[in-house]
Amino acid sequence: MNAKKWDKVATAVLTGIAGLIVLLLACLLGYILVRGLPHVTWQFLTKPAQTFTKGGGIGVQLFNSFYLLILAMVISIPLSIGAGIYLAEYAPKNWVTNVVRTAIEVLSSLPSVVVGLFGFLVFVIQFKLGFSILAGALVLTVFNLPLLTRNVEDALKSIHFTQREAGLALGLSRYETVKHVVIPEALPNIITGMILGAGRVFGEAAALIYTAGQSAPSLDFTNWNPMYIASPLNPMRPAETLAVHIWKINSEGIMPDATAVSAGASAVLIIAVLLFNWLARVIGKRVYRKMTAA
Amino acid sequence: MDPIKASLLKKSRAAKSETRGKLISLVCISLIVFIVLAIFYFVASRGLATFFKDKVSIGRFLTQSTWNPSLKDSHGHPEVGALPMIMGSFGVTFLAALLATPFAIGAGIFMTEISPKRGEKLLQPVMELLVGIPSVVYGFIGLSVIVPAVRHLFGGSGFGILAGTCVLFVMILPTVTSMTVDALKSVPRHYREASLALGATRWQTTWKVVLKAATPGILTGVVFGMARAFGEALAVQMVIGNAALLPHNLITPASTLTSVLTMGMGNTVMGSLANNALWSLALLLLLMSLLFNLLVRLIGRKGAMNR
């Protein structure tokens, strides 16, 4: 066979591989949606879960997931923006900065179980928070910080240096330049990264098993006082999230309709992730159009 | 002091806000570094207790193959042999990487050399979605599709390293692919042009020039994928069968470091040997993750030297 024929064969094989991967994703999504969507009803989304009988819902878990997500993002967004500003604007080029960067890289590649166990040891036991939403939110912060920080740093660094010079030339201090010139221009990228980070947090389970706990006590949706023990807003109650719920009912195997419930819950989870991906794109684009003349 | 002198000697509002802003950002970054140090300190202090407080020898811990931390063997040594888990973890990691690499390179070449337009429009979003699917969902699909399929094809219970490998393959594929694409894209255009000008076909150019130049980057991607596979907990735990036995083949139940950790941590008492032994496994995971990081750095340095 000559070179030209080999070229054709290789092209065909590579195209086949690419097609296979697309097919794989289509099968995964199709399977989850076809299996899961029939179970997703309003009842399913709002009713509390059952342990020993059929027909449980995922209401409490769904609420927990969103509450935990919001708490975690509230803690991690300001921290990551501060850290990102330092790395992009202030960090001198020396060995200390190198160590800091390495530390962030190491943190971002740590297995989420290890981060979860660290949270269990420190937040749950040492700080005596118990299995609680707060402990879960703190662990999710640790888990998410390195990626968000890198995202902010990259977004800031992609701003052209003439923008900074213009700010400084107007007599603004470095910090004012960052606040009023650089961050507004980097905002679309920062927001996109934050939403993608939120999607990652939403599906995380391994870090939460031993921090936010594996039980979902029933909630009283009429009392929103955060100090009340069954209040949905109480940050000190144990809170099983949707992802943890899927894991737990599958590995315990005492729920009679575990497969149906986890299929439904998986479908909800996937739809949420798709939604986050889509939002990241749309909001990023819209903010960009609003902030710039383009 | 006259007011003019005072206003000159005082820090301006801008200077104050500058100091404050710098301080705030410095506090944020220090906090992250502090967290990393704290993770190492806490996991190491717990994980080393097995060896220093309970006097288990590190050699035995790494090479013995019976894992039964609450019992003692006939010589009075506690039965904490982590070899089955270590073998399980490395088994699924290497097999998944072995399976994912050709697919990732194929997809990468398709996206950069053959059809960049379709690559960007179709494959890029596909990869982003694959990354986005939560690991428990992969675990659930593994449990309800792959495990029955393995059981049907090869017999046995279906749980085991093969099922774990299949799940991990899908999970690390996007990581390896996106890094492969970056590596291929960073190969300068004139390399390709020079090769094509010599009369090489596109495949010859890709195979003999582009891939060679991109090898360090691709290797980095593979190592990153392996790190992800090694640390993945729930998806693997759901399909591997969770039997702390030395794996003899790919379709009998086995276990990984992460699966034993997730199953066991809730059932042991803090400070007992059984608990400390689990923390030692966590320490092992931590060290492996460091090792993968180091590998990435070494490969990067080697790649930079070859340029």
Side-chain angles (χ1 to χ4, degrees), chain B residues 147-159 251-252:
Chain B
V147 169
V150 171
R151 187 186 309 149
H152 193 73
L153 287 174
F154 302 103
S157 66
F159 292 96
I251 52 166
T252 51

mmCIF file with all atom_site columns, all heavy atoms in Angstrom, chain B residues 147-159 251-252:
data_model
loop_
_atom_site.group_PDB
_atom_site.id
_atom_site.type_symbol
_atom_site.label_atom_id
_atom_site.label_alt_id
_atom_site.label_comp_id
_atom_site.label_asym_id
_atom_site.label_entity_id
_atom_site.label_seq_id
_atom_site.pdbx_PDB_ins_code
_atom_site.Cartn_x
_atom_site.Cartn_y
_atom_site.Cartn_z
_atom_site.occupancy
_atom_site.B_iso_or_equiv
_atom_site.pdbx_formal_charge
_atom_site.auth_seq_id
_atom_site.auth_comp_id
_atom_site.auth_asym_id
_atom_site.auth_atom_id
_atom_site.pdbx_PDB_model_num
ATOM 1   N N   . VAL B 1 147 ? -21.885 -3.326  34.591 1.00 0.00 ? 147 VAL B N   1
ATOM 2   C CA  . VAL B 1 147 ? -21.778 -4.523  35.429 1.00 0.00 ? 147 VAL B CA  1
ATOM 3   C C   . VAL B 1 147 ? -22.628 -5.677  34.869 1.00 0.00 ? 147 VAL B C   1
ATOM 4   O O   . VAL B 1 147 ? -22.121 -6.800  34.708 1.00 0.00 ? 147 VAL B O   1
ATOM 5   C CB  . VAL B 1 147 ? -22.135 -4.192  36.898 1.00 0.00 ? 147 VAL B CB  1
ATOM 6   C CG1 . VAL B 1 147 ? -22.281 -5.451  37.724 1.00 0.00 ? 147 VAL B CG1 1
ATOM 7   C CG2 . VAL B 1 147 ? -21.081 -3.288  37.496 1.00 0.00 ? 147 VAL B CG2 1
ATOM 8   N N   . PRO B 1 148 ? -23.912 -5.435  34.524 1.00 0.00 ? 148 PRO B N   1
ATOM 9   C CA  . PRO B 1 148 ? -24.678 -6.526  33.905 1.00 0.00 ? 148 PRO B CA  1
ATOM 10  C C   . PRO B 1 148 ? -24.063 -7.010  32.590 1.00 0.00 ? 148 PRO B C   1
ATOM 11  O O   . PRO B 1 148 ? -24.070 -8.214  32.306 1.00 0.00 ? 148 PRO B O   1
ATOM 12  C CB  . PRO B 1 148 ? -26.053 -5.895  33.660 1.00 0.00 ? 148 PRO B CB  1
ATOM 13  C CG  . PRO B 1 148 ? -26.142 -4.772  34.608 1.00 0.00 ? 148 PRO B CG  1
ATOM 14  C CD  . PRO B 1 148 ? -24.753 -4.261  34.789 1.00 0.00 ? 148 PRO B CD  1
ATOM 15  N N   . ALA B 1 149 ? -23.490 -6.073  31.809 1.00 0.00 ? 149 ALA B N   1
ATOM 16  C CA  . ALA B 1 149 ? -22.889 -6.477  30.536 1.00 0.00 ? 149 ALA B CA  1
ATOM 17  C C   . ALA B 1 149 ? -21.695 -7.390  30.771 1.00 0.00 ? 149 ALA B C   1
ATOM 18  O O   . ALA B 1 149 ? -21.536 -8.423  30.107 1.00 0.00 ? 149 ALA B O   1
ATOM 19  C CB  . ALA B 1 149 ? -22.473 -5.238  29.743 1.00 0.00 ? 149 ALA B CB  1
ATOM 20  N N   . VAL B 1 150 ? -20.845 -7.022  31.736 1.00 0.00 ? 150 VAL B N   1
ATOM 21  C CA  . VAL B 1 150 ? -19.674 -7.852  32.044 1.00 0.00 ? 150 VAL B CA  1
ATOM 22  C C   . VAL B 1 150 ? -20.135 -9.214  32.555 1.00 0.00 ? 150 VAL B C   1
ATOM 23  O O   . VAL B 1 150 ? -19.591 -10.258 32.182 1.00 0.00 ? 150 VAL B O   1
ATOM 24  C CB  . VAL B 1 150 ? -18.782 -7.152  33.097 1.00 0.00 ? 150 VAL B CB  1
ATOM 25  C CG1 . VAL B 1 150 ? -17.701 -8.096  33.589 1.00 0.00 ? 150 VAL B CG1 1
ATOM 26  C CG2 . VAL B 1 150 ? -18.164 -5.894  32.519 1.00 0.00 ? 150 VAL B CG2 1
ATOM 27  N N   . ARG B 1 151 ? -21.161 -9.211  33.405 1.00 0.00 ? 151 ARG B N   1
ATOM 28  C CA  . ARG B 1 151 ? -21.682 -10.464 33.953 1.00 0.00 ? 151 ARG B CA  1
ATOM 29  C C   . ARG B 1 151 ? -22.171 -11.353 32.819 1.00 0.00 ? 151 ARG B C   1
ATOM 30  O O   . ARG B 1 151 ? -21.899 -12.555 32.771 1.00 0.00 ? 151 ARG B O   1
ATOM 31  C CB  . ARG B 1 151 ? -22.837 -10.152 34.910 1.00 0.00 ? 151 ARG B CB  1
ATOM 32  C CG  . ARG B 1 151 ? -23.355 -11.355 35.667 1.00 0.00 ? 151 ARG B CG  1
ATOM 33  C CD  . ARG B 1 151 ? -24.583 -10.990 36.472 1.00 0.00 ? 151 ARG B CD  1
ATOM 34  N NE  . ARG B 1 151 ? -24.348 -9.812  37.293 1.00 0.00 ? 151 ARG B NE  1
ATOM 35  C CZ  . ARG B 1 151 ? -25.306 -8.935  37.603 1.00 0.00 ? 151 ARG B CZ  1
ATOM 36  N NH1 . ARG B 1 151 ? -26.532 -9.106  37.167 1.00 0.00 ? 151 ARG B NH1 1
ATOM 37  N NH2 . ARG B 1 151 ? -25.036 -7.881  38.355 1.00 0.00 ? 151 ARG B NH2 1
ATOM 38  N N   . HIS B 1 152 ? -22.853 -10.751 31.859 1.00 0.00 ? 152 HIS B N   1
ATOM 39  C CA  . HIS B 1 152 ? -23.405 -11.489 30.740 1.00 0.00 ? 152 HIS B CA  1
ATOM 40  C C   . HIS B 1 152 ? -22.295 -12.069 29.856 1.00 0.00 ? 152 HIS B C   1
ATOM 41  O O   . HIS B 1 152 ? -22.352 -13.214 29.416 1.00 0.00 ? 152 HIS B O   1
ATOM 42  C CB  . HIS B 1 152 ? -24.293 -10.545 29.925 1.00 0.00 ? 152 HIS B CB  1
ATOM 43  C CG  . HIS B 1 152 ? -25.154 -11.245 28.943 1.00 0.00 ? 152 HIS B CG  1
ATOM 44  N ND1 . HIS B 1 152 ? -26.246 -11.984 29.308 1.00 0.00 ? 152 HIS B ND1 1
ATOM 45  C CD2 . HIS B 1 152 ? -25.075 -11.333 27.599 1.00 0.00 ? 152 HIS B CD2 1
ATOM 46  C CE1 . HIS B 1 152 ? -26.807 -12.503 28.244 1.00 0.00 ? 152 HIS B CE1 1
ATOM 47  N NE2 . HIS B 1 152 ? -26.122 -12.116 27.184 1.00 0.00 ? 152 HIS B NE2 1
ATOM 48  N N   . LEU B 1 153 ? -21.253 -11.244 29.598 1.00 0.00 ? 153 LEU B N   1
ATOM 49  C CA  . LEU B 1 153 ? -20.219 -11.650 28.653 1.00 0.00 ? 153 LEU B CA  1
ATOM 50  C C   . LEU B 1 153 ? -19.211 -12.610 29.272 1.00 0.00 ? 153 LEU B C   1
ATOM 51  O O   . LEU B 1 153 ? -18.771 -13.569 28.638 1.00 0.00 ? 153 LEU B O   1
ATOM 52  C CB  . LEU B 1 153 ? -19.480 -10.421 28.125 1.00 0.00 ? 153 LEU B CB  1
ATOM 53  C CG  . LEU B 1 153 ? -20.246 -9.546  27.142 1.00 0.00 ? 153 LEU B CG  1
ATOM 54  C CD1 . LEU B 1 153 ? -19.452 -8.302  26.817 1.00 0.00 ? 153 LEU B CD1 1
ATOM 55  C CD2 . LEU B 1 153 ? -20.546 -10.329 25.867 1.00 0.00 ? 153 LEU B CD2 1
ATOM 56  N N   . PHE B 1 154 ? -18.799 -12.331 30.523 1.00 0.00 ? 154 PHE B N   1
ATOM 57  C CA  . PHE B 1 154 ? -17.687 -13.090 31.095 1.00 0.00 ? 154 PHE B CA  1
ATOM 58  C C   . PHE B 1 154 ? -18.078 -13.933 32.298 1.00 0.00 ? 154 PHE B C   1
ATOM 59  O O   . PHE B 1 154 ? -17.248 -14.628 32.859 1.00 0.00 ? 154 PHE B O   1
ATOM 60  C CB  . PHE B 1 154 ? -16.562 -12.145 31.512 1.00 0.00 ? 154 PHE B CB  1
ATOM 61  C CG  . PHE B 1 154 ? -16.043 -11.298 30.392 1.00 0.00 ? 154 PHE B CG  1
ATOM 62  C CD1 . PHE B 1 154 ? -16.403 -9.972  30.277 1.00 0.00 ? 154 PHE B CD1 1
ATOM 63  C CD2 . PHE B 1 154 ? -15.192 -11.851 29.432 1.00 0.00 ? 154 PHE B CD2 1
ATOM 64  C CE1 . PHE B 1 154 ? -15.931 -9.200  29.242 1.00 0.00 ? 154 PHE B CE1 1
ATOM 65  C CE2 . PHE B 1 154 ? -14.722 -11.078 28.397 1.00 0.00 ? 154 PHE B CE2 1
ATOM 66  C CZ  . PHE B 1 154 ? -15.089 -9.748  28.288 1.00 0.00 ? 154 PHE B CZ  1
ATOM 67  N N   . GLY B 1 155 ? -19.330 -13.854 32.717 1.00 0.00 ? 155 GLY B N   1
ATOM 68  C CA  . GLY B 1 155 ? -19.737 -14.613 33.885 1.00 0.00 ? 155 GLY B CA  1
ATOM 69  C C   . GLY B 1 155 ? -19.306 -13.923 35.163 1.00 0.00 ? 155 GLY B C   1
ATOM 70  O O   . GLY B 1 155 ? -18.808 -12.801 35.150 1.00 0.00 ? 155 GLY B O   1
ATOM 71  N N   . GLY B 1 156 ? -19.459 -14.612 36.285 1.00 0.00 ? 156 GLY B N   1
ATOM 72  C CA  . GLY B 1 156 ? -19.120 -14.012 37.568 1.00 0.00 ? 156 GLY B CA  1
ATOM 73  C C   . GLY B 1 156 ? -20.178 -13.001 37.971 1.00 0.00 ? 156 GLY B C   1
ATOM 74  O O   . GLY B 1 156 ? -21.281 -12.982 37.436 1.00 0.00 ? 156 GLY B O   1
ATOM 75  N N   . SER B 1 157 ? -19.810 -12.155 38.924 1.00 0.00 ? 157 SER B N   1
ATOM 76  C CA  . SER B 1 157 ? -20.791 -11.206 39.427 1.00 0.00 ? 157 SER B CA  1
ATOM 77  C C   . SER B 1 157 ? -20.839 -9.945  38.570 1.00 0.00 ? 157 SER B C   1
ATOM 78  O O   . SER B 1 157 ? -21.767 -9.156  38.681 1.00 0.00 ? 157 SER B O   1
ATOM 79  C CB  . SER B 1 157 ? -20.443 -10.827 40.863 1.00 0.00 ? 157 SER B CB  1
ATOM 80  O OG  . SER B 1 157 ? -19.227 -10.116 40.879 1.00 0.00 ? 157 SER B OG  1
ATOM 81  N N   . GLY B 1 158 ? -19.817 -9.728  37.753 1.00 0.00 ? 158 GLY B N   1
ATOM 82  C CA  . GLY B 1 158 ? -19.784 -8.518  36.944 1.00 0.00 ? 158 GLY B CA  1
ATOM 83  C C   . GLY B 1 158 ? -19.021 -7.401  37.601 1.00 0.00 ? 158 GLY B C   1
ATOM 84  O O   . GLY B 1 158 ? -18.473 -6.541  36.931 1.00 0.00 ? 158 GLY B O   1
ATOM 85  N N   . PHE B 1 159 ? -18.978 -7.431  38.951 1.00 0.00 ? 159 PHE B N   1
ATOM 86  C CA  . PHE B 1 159 ? -18.199 -6.418  39.650 1.00 0.00 ? 159 PHE B CA  1
ATOM 87  C C   . PHE B 1 159 ? -16.722 -6.758  39.520 1.00 0.00 ? 159 PHE B C   1
ATOM 88  O O   . PHE B 1 159 ? -16.345 -7.916  39.509 1.00 0.00 ? 159 PHE B O   1
ATOM 89  C CB  . PHE B 1 159 ? -18.572 -6.395  41.138 1.00 0.00 ? 159 PHE B CB  1
ATOM 90  C CG  . PHE B 1 159 ? -19.954 -5.892  41.389 1.00 0.00 ? 159 PHE B CG  1
ATOM 91  C CD1 . PHE B 1 159 ? -21.009 -6.772  41.548 1.00 0.00 ? 159 PHE B CD1 1
ATOM 92  C CD2 . PHE B 1 159 ? -20.203 -4.534  41.458 1.00 0.00 ? 159 PHE B CD2 1
ATOM 93  C CE1 . PHE B 1 159 ? -22.284 -6.309  41.773 1.00 0.00 ? 159 PHE B CE1 1
ATOM 94  C CE2 . PHE B 1 159 ? -21.477 -4.060  41.683 1.00 0.00 ? 159 PHE B CE2 1
ATOM 95  C CZ  . PHE B 1 159 ? -22.527 -4.953  41.838 1.00 0.00 ? 159 PHE B CZ  1
ATOM 96  N N   . ILE B 1 251 ? -12.391 -9.848  36.499 1.00 0.00 ? 251 ILE B N   1
ATOM 97  C CA  . ILE B 1 251 ? -13.835 -9.871  36.717 1.00 0.00 ? 251 ILE B CA  1
ATOM 98  C C   . ILE B 1 251 ? -14.226 -10.391 38.091 1.00 0.00 ? 251 ILE B C   1
ATOM 99  O O   . ILE B 1 251 ? -15.396 -10.657 38.339 1.00 0.00 ? 251 ILE B O   1
ATOM 100 C CB  . ILE B 1 251 ? -14.555 -10.690 35.620 1.00 0.00 ? 251 ILE B CB  1
ATOM 101 C CG1 . ILE B 1 251 ? -13.917 -12.058 35.496 1.00 0.00 ? 251 ILE B CG1 1
ATOM 102 C CG2 . ILE B 1 251 ? -14.549 -9.959  34.300 1.00 0.00 ? 251 ILE B CG2 1
ATOM 103 C CD1 . ILE B 1 251 ? -14.740 -13.027 34.707 1.00 0.00 ? 251 ILE B CD1 1
ATOM 104 N N   . THR B 1 252 ? -13.266 -10.533 39.022 1.00 0.00 ? 252 THR B N   1
ATOM 105 C CA  . THR B 1 252 ? -13.671 -10.849 40.385 1.00 0.00 ? 252 THR B CA  1
ATOM 106 C C   . THR B 1 252 ? -13.669 -9.564  41.192 1.00 0.00 ? 252 THR B C   1
ATOM 107 O O   . THR B 1 252 ? -12.910 -8.651  40.895 1.00 0.00 ? 252 THR B O   1
ATOM 108 C CB  . THR B 1 252 ? -12.704 -11.855 41.037 1.00 0.00 ? 252 THR B CB  1
ATOM 109 O OG1 . THR B 1 252 ? -11.388 -11.365 40.859 1.00 0.00 ? 252 THR B OG1 1
ATOM 110 C CG2 . THR B 1 252 ? -12.853 -13.220 40.440 1.00 0.00 ? 252 THR B CG2 1
#
